[in-house]
């Protein structure tokens, strides 16, 4: 179990804005890709612990709420009120609707259209970034995504580099976006620090590709690691899962 997807490097200022990250998610048509590229063999990830009892589903239950309440104000409010559900696409019509939503979110995040391209309302900088790939396998997923973003006035350059260059750049967090994944066992433990902790965010070669550096997440990771029994491990992992979204 686990997750595979596009990874934003939140060390980059533009990707530090959750509204902007949400906008870009509307530009990815998972259903179209799944049908046209993968013969429908993928299921959409909604959790970092997909396909296991550790995944957060629906709204937080009483045990999760007990764990999450102390972090009110330090984690997004929507953790308490909404269950995470990614945008649904599936062809030109749903995509048009999704791109309209994306455009609205981008505008709210301070990125407006000027001469047909997306620019930062304050600095005038154009919205372009690189999707770095370590093999051509993912090109067929990244290119349609880049085409959709182009319709939003965003330039996403898809770049494939050889394995050693890819390793060097990902170890040093020298990328805007990559495709990545996190394998998860049924008994999460110390590896969660390497995935999501503040300490790992600055340690070259760590698996914290997103660059998460958040004291609330650090505390939730420690709760998972120190869980005294299976039931509390399940509840604590679900709480972490929610806070990560």
């Amino acid at each position: 179990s686990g997750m595979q997807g596009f990874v934003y490097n939140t060390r980059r200022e533009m990707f530090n804005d959750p509204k902007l990250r949400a906008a870009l998610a509307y530009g990815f048509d998972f259903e179209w890709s799944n049908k046209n590229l993968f013969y429908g063999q993928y299921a959409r990830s909604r959790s970092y612990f997909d396909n296991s009892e550790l995944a957060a589903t629906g709204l937080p239950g009483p045990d999760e709420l007990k764990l999450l309440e102390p972090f009110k104000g330090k984690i997004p409010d929507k953790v308490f009120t909404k269950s995470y559900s990614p945008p649904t696409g599936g062809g030109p019509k749903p995509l048009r609707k999704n791109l309209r939503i994306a455009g609205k979110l981008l505008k709210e995040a301070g990125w407006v259209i000027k001469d047909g391209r997306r620019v930062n309302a304050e600095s005038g900088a154009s919205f372009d970034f690189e999707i770095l790939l370590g093999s051509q396998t993912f090109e067929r997923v990244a290119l349609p995504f880049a085409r959709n973003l182009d319709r939003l006035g965003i330039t996403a350059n898809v770049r494939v580099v050889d394995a050693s260059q890819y390793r060097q750049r990902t170890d040093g967090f020298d990328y805007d976006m990559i495709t990545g994944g996190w394998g998860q066992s049924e008994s999460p433990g110390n590896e969660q620090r390497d995935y999501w902790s503040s300490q790992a965010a600055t340690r070259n070669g760590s698996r914290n590709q997103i660059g998460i550096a958040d004291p609330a997440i650090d505390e939730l990771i420690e709760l998972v690691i120190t869980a005294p029994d299976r039931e509390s491990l399940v509840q604590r992992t679900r709480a972490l899962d929610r806070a990560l979204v």
Side-chain angles (χ1 to χ4, degrees), residues 17 19-20 23 103-112 120-121:
D17 182 348
K19 194 164 264 184
L20 183 139
K104 195 168 151 283
L105 287 168
L106 285 165
K107 214 167 150 183
E108 287 169 17
W111 293 88
V112 296
N120 188 295

Side-chain angles (χ1 to χ4, degrees), residues 119-136:
V119 298
N120 188 295
E122 274 177 38
S123 69
S126 61
F127 196 149
D128 46 29
F129 70 95
E130 183 182 81
I131 303 176
L132 180 72
L133 302 175
S135 90
Q136 286 178 315

